[in-house]
C-alpha cells in the first residue's frame, strides 16, 4: 500500500493514534476532579458519611486515569521533536513555551497535591485536604486551558508573523487569546465535565440495576443529574458558537463538515445535509438526504443566508481537506451524541420530579438505568469525533494558512516511522487492557462503606489505671 512508504501519512497516523488514545484519560480526570470537589464539599458541609465514601471510591478511578494519562501523554509531546521537527523549529518560540506552561504549571500542580488528596484523609486537617482536592481539579483543568490555547493558536494563528520560515511573536497575550481560544476552552471544559458526569452516572446505574448499594448510588446519580441540567444545554450552545467561528475563520472546514461542494450565495436559502456519501474523486455526494432551507436556520436562525457559504470547489484540491467523509460523519456523531445526552438528562429530570428516582423506587426504573449505562461511553466518542473534525478539518495546514503539514514533518525514512507506529500500537493496546482490568476490578469491588470517617469513626482511647506497687520479695543477697 502506498501510505506505508509515505512518511507524512505515517507520521500523521502515529500522531492520530497517540492523541486519540491519550485523550481517553484526561477527559475523565478533568471532569471527575470537579465531581470530587462537589462531593467532598458536601461532606464538609453536611458531615454525611455517604459523601465521604463517594469521594474515596471515585478517587480510585481518578488516579487510574491519571496514571495512564501521564504514561500516554509524554510520547505524544515527544513527537513534536522526533516526527515534526521542522514544524517545532518554526513555531517553537510560542508553541513550545505553551506546552512548557502546561507541564510546569498545570501538571506539576495536579501531581503535587494528588498525594495529599489520596493519602491525606487521616493525616491533614479536612479543610487542608479539601484545598488539595481543589488544587488537583484546578491543575487538571488548567492543563486543558494550555493545551486548548496552543491548539487554538494552530487553528487561528495570532500575535505575530512568519519571518524567514519562523513565527516571530510580537504580542504574546494576543497569541494566547487568539480568536478560537475562548470558545475552544469552554467547549472542551464542558465536554470533559459532561463525559465524566455520564460515566459516573452510567456506573451508578449499573450498581443500582445489579441491586448493589442502591441508596448509595442513587445519591451519586442525582448529583450527576443536578449538574448535567446546566452542563448539557450549555454545551450545545457553546458548540454552536464554535461552529459559527469555523464558518468565519475556516470556511474550508465548514464545507467539509457539511460535505458542501457548491457555493450557496448570500440572500438565498440553502439545504442542510442530514446524511450523504461524499466522493472526493468526483467532487460530489453520490447520494444525499437533506432538509430544504435548513442550513440558514442552523447557522443564522433564519431562512436566507446573510453571507455566502463557500463550497469545496471554491478552492483548489491542494488547499482543502481530503477526508471529507470522515469530517462529515465525525461532526454528525459529535452533534448527535450531544443532543442525545441532553435528551437523556431531560427524561431523567422528568422521572426525578415524578418521584421515580427515590432510593425506594429507582431500582424499578430498569429501562432508564439501561439507557444511562449505554450512554456512559458516548461522551468519549463525541470528544474523539470533535477532535477529528478540529484537526483533520484543518488540513492541509499544520499551522492554518501558514505552514503546510507536508512541510512540517521530519525527514525520516518511512520504515522508521512505521516501526514506531507499530510499537506504539502494541504498547497502547497493553495499556488499554490494563486499564480495563484494573478499572473493572475497582468497579466489581465497589465502595468500602466501612472506611472510618475522619472525626467521626475514631477509636476511643482505652482507660488506664495506675499500676499497683508490689514490694520486692527477693532475698537480701539478690537485692544487692
Amino acid at each position: 500500500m502506498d501510505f506505508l512508504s509515505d512518511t507524512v501519512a505515517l507520521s500523521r497516523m502515529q500522531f492520530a493514534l497517540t492523541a486519540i488514545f491519550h485523550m481517553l484519560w484526561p477527559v475523565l480526570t478533568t471532569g471527575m476532579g470537579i465531581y470530587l470537589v462537589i462531593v467532598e464539599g458536601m461532606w464538609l458541609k453536611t458531615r454525611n458519611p455517604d459523601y465521604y465514601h463517594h469521594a474515596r471510591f471515585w478517587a480510585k478511578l481518578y488516579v487510574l486515569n491519571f496514571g495512564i494519562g501521564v504514561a500516554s501523554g509524554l510520547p505524544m509531546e515527544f513527537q513534536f521533536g522526533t516526527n515534526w521537527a521542522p514544524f517545532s523549529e518554526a513555531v517553537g518560540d510560542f508553541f513550545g513555551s505553551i506546552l512548557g506552561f502546561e507541564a510546569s504549571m498545570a501538571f506539576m500542580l495536579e501531581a503535587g497535591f494528588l498525594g495529599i488528596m489520596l493519602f491525606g484523609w487521616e493525616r491533614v486537617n479536612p479543610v487542608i485536604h479539601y484545598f488539595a482536592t481543589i488544587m488537583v481539579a484546578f491543575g487538571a483543568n488548567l492543563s486543558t486551558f494550555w493545551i486548548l490555547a496552543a491548539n487554538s493558536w494552530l487553528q487561528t494563528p495570532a500575535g505575530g508573523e512568519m519571518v524567514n520560515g519562523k513565527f516571530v511573536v510580537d504580542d504574546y497575550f494576543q497569541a494566547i487569546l487568539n480568536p478560537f481560544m475562548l470558545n475552544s476552552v469552554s467547549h472542551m471544559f464542558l465536554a470533559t465535565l459532561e463525559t465524566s458526569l455520564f460515566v459516573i452516572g452510567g456506573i451508578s446505574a449499573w450498581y443500582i440495576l445489579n441491586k448493589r448499594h442502591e441508596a448509595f448510588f442513587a445519591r451519586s446519580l442525582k448529583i450527576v443529574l443536578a449538574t448535567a441540567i446546566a452542563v448539557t444545554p450549555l454545551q450545545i450552545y457553546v458548540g454552536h458558537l464554535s461552529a459559527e467561528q469555523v464558518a468565519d475563520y475556516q470556511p474550508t472546514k465548514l464545507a467539509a463538515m457539511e460535505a458542501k461542494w457548491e457555493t450557496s450565495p448570500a440572500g438565498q436559502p440553502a439545504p442542510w445535509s442530514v446524511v450523504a456519501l461524499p466522493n472526493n474523486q468526483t467532487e460530489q455526494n453520490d447520494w444525499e438526504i437533506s432538509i430544504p432551507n435548513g442550513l440558514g436556520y442552523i447557522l443564522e436562525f433564519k431562512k436566507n443566508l446573510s453571507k455566502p457559504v463557500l463550497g469545496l470547489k471554491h478552492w483548489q484540491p491542494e488547499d482543502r481537506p481530503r477526508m471529507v467523509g470522515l469530517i462529515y460523519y465525525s461532526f454528525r456523531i459529535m452533534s448527535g451524541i450531544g443532543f442525545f445526552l441532553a435528551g437523556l438528562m431531560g427524561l431523567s429530570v422528568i422521572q426525578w420530579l415524578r418521584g421515580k428516582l427515590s432510593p425506594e423506587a429507582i431500582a424499578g426504573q430498569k429501562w432508564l438505568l439501561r439507557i444511562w449505562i449505554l450512554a456512559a461511553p458516548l461522551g468519549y466518542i463525541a470528544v474523539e469525533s470533535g477532535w477529528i473534525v478540529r484537526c483533520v478539518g484543518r488540513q492541509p495546514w499544520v499551522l492554518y494558512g501558514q505552514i503546510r503539514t507536508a512541510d512540517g514533518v521530519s525527514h525520516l525514512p518511512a520504515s522508521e516511522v512505521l516501526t514506531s507506529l507499530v510499537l506504539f500500537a502494541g504498547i497502547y493496546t497493553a495499556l488499554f487492557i490494563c486499564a480495563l482490568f484494573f478499572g473493572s476490578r475497582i468497579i466489581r469491588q465497589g465502595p468500602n462503606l466501612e472506611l472510618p470517617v475522619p472525626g467521626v469513626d475514631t477509636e476511643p482511647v482505652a482507660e488506664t489505671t495506675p499500676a499497683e506497687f508490689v514490694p520486692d520479695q527477693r532475698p537480701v543477697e539478690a537485692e544487692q
Side-chain angles (χ1 to χ4, degrees):
M1 294 186 286
D2 291 340
F3 76 90
L4 293 179
S5 59
D6 187 340
T7 299
V8 176
L10 289 172
S11 295
R12 288 183 63 192
M13 288 180 63
Q14 180 172 301
F15 195 87
L17 170 67
T18 55
I20 287 173
F21 182 82
H22 171 67
M23 191 59 61
L24 295 172
W25 317 107
V27 163
L28 193 62
T29 55
T30 50
M32 188 175 283
I34 295 174
Y35 179 82
L36 292 175
V37 169
I38 292 173
V39 293
E40 187 173 348
M42 295 180 75
W43 172 64
L44 288 175
K45 181 179 180 180
T46 65
R47 293 296 175 175
N48 186 328
D50 269 4
Y51 293 122
Y52 170 77
H53 290 126
H54 271 295
R56 296 297 298 267
F57 173 68
W58 296 109
K60 295 179 182 179
L61 291 174
Y62 182 96
V63 73
L64 175 64
N65 277 265
F66 176 83
I68 299 180
V70 172
S72 61
L74 292 176
M76 187 179 71
E77 293 198 4
F78 282 136
Q79 287 179 85
F80 290 116
T82 56
N83 295 65
W84 302 94
F87 161 76
S88 299
E89 185 178 0
V91 302
D93 287 352
F94 175 77
F95 192 77
S97 61
I98 294 297
L99 296 183
F101 290 160
E102 188 272 333
S104 60
M105 295 173 59
F107 173 72
M108 292 301 176
L109 178 65
E110 182 182 9
F113 283 94
L114 184 64
I116 300 175
M117 188 189 83
L118 294 176
F119 306 112
W121 287 101
E122 294 86 13
R123 295 175 173 84
V124 299
N125 183 280
V127 176
I128 299 300
H129 187 278
Y130 188 48
F131 177 76
T133 303
I134 293 173
M135 288 298 98
V136 168
F138 178 70
N141 285 276
L142 184 60
S143 177
T144 299
F145 168 79
W146 287 120
I147 293 298
L148 266 296
N151 186 269
S152 297
W153 182 78
L154 297 180
Q155 309 283 339
T156 50
E161 59 182 352
M162 295 293 295
V163 178
N164 298 325
K166 189 171 183 177
F167 192 90
V168 178
V169 180
D170 298 326
D171 188 331
Y172 214 83
F173 288 102
Q174 185 183 4
I176 294 174
L177 302 173
N178 59 82
F180 263 26
M181 189 278 289
L182 180 59
N183 282 338
S184 296
V185 172
S186 302
H187 197 35
M188 191 61 191
F189 167 76
L190 293 170
T192 60
L193 183 54
E194 186 174 18
T195 299
S196 301
L197 290 174
F198 281 90
V199 168
I200 295 169
I203 294 173
S204 300
W206 181 85
Y207 278 106
I208 298 169
L209 198 60
N210 285 275
K211 301 186 182 303
R212 295 180 59 187
H213 312 296
E214 292 101 312
F216 182 81
F217 284 103
R219 187 183 300 275
S220 61
L221 185 59
K222 287 181 179 178
I223 295 172
V224 163
L225 187 55
T227 311
I229 290 173
V231 171
T232 51
L234 186 58
Q235 173 69 319
I236 292 174
Y237 174 70
V238 174
H240 176 75
L241 295 180
S242 297
E244 288 183 340
Q245 280 195 320
V246 168
D248 292 334
Y249 291 95
Q250 295 181 336
T252 54
K253 182 186 292 186
L254 177 67
M257 288 162 54
E258 299 299 336
K260 190 170 184 60
W261 301 94
E262 304 292 342
T263 296
S264 295
Q268 297 183 14
W272 176 66
S273 173
V274 181
V275 292
L277 185 61
N279 190 324
N280 291 335
Q281 282 70 38
T282 61
E283 297 186 337
Q284 63 180 6
N285 298 328
D286 290 343
W287 60 268
E288 181 178 18
I289 299 175
S290 60
I291 297 176
N293 310 326
L295 188 59
Y297 287 110
I298 290 175
L299 290 178
E300 304 177 26
F301 301 105
K302 60 182 181 180
K303 179 179 178 180
N304 293 332
L305 298 168
S306 60
K307 53 185 176 182
V309 176
L310 301 177
L312 287 166
K313 290 183 180 180
H314 179 80
W315 297 274
Q316 296 297 320
E318 63 271 16
D319 293 331
R320 64 197 190 205
R322 299 290 181 86
M323 306 175 74
V324 176
L326 177 63
I327 301 167
Y328 176 86
Y329 279 104
S330 295
F331 176 71
R332 275 149 183 75
I333 290 171
M334 175 188 64
S335 303
I337 289 174
F339 282 103
F340 176 82
L341 296 181
L344 177 57
M345 178 275 299
L347 183 62
S348 301
V349 168
I350 292 173
Q351 294 300 95
W352 192 359
L353 295 175
R354 295 178 61 199
K356 300 296 184 179
L357 300 187
S358 65
E360 299 77 21
I362 193 170
Q365 303 297 303
K366 294 183 178 180
W367 61 274
L368 183 62
L369 295 174
R370 290 192 180 100
I371 297 175
W372 271 91
I373 294 172
L374 292 174
L378 294 183
Y380 290 110
I381 298 173
V383 169
E384 301 287 14
S385 298
W387 276 96
I388 289 172
V389 173
R390 185 177 181 88
C391 295
V392 179
R394 187 182 68 234
Q395 300 302 315
W397 307 98
V398 64
L399 180 64
Y400 194 78
Q402 304 284 342
I403 304 174
R404 290 183 179 270
T405 303
D407 297 329
V409 73
S410 299
H411 301 292
L412 297 171
S415 59
E416 293 183 6
V417 182
L418 179 61
T419 300
S420 61
L421 173 61
V422 173
L423 288 174
F424 276 125
I427 293 171
Y428 284 175
T429 299
L431 281 175
F432 188 70
I433 293 172
C434 290
L436 292 179
F437 173 77
F438 289 108
S440 62
R441 189 168 74 170
I442 291 170
I443 294 171
R444 286 196 307 270
Q445 289 176 346
N448 182 3
L449 302 183
E450 303 301 320
L451 280 173
V453 180
V456 178
D457 299 333
T458 55
E459 292 291 335
V461 179
E463 295 184 2
T464 59
T465 56
E468 182 181 357
F469 174 74
V470 179
D472 194 344
Q473 302 295 325
R474 294 176 296 166
V476 176
E477 294 82 358
E479 295 179 16
Q480 296 175 351

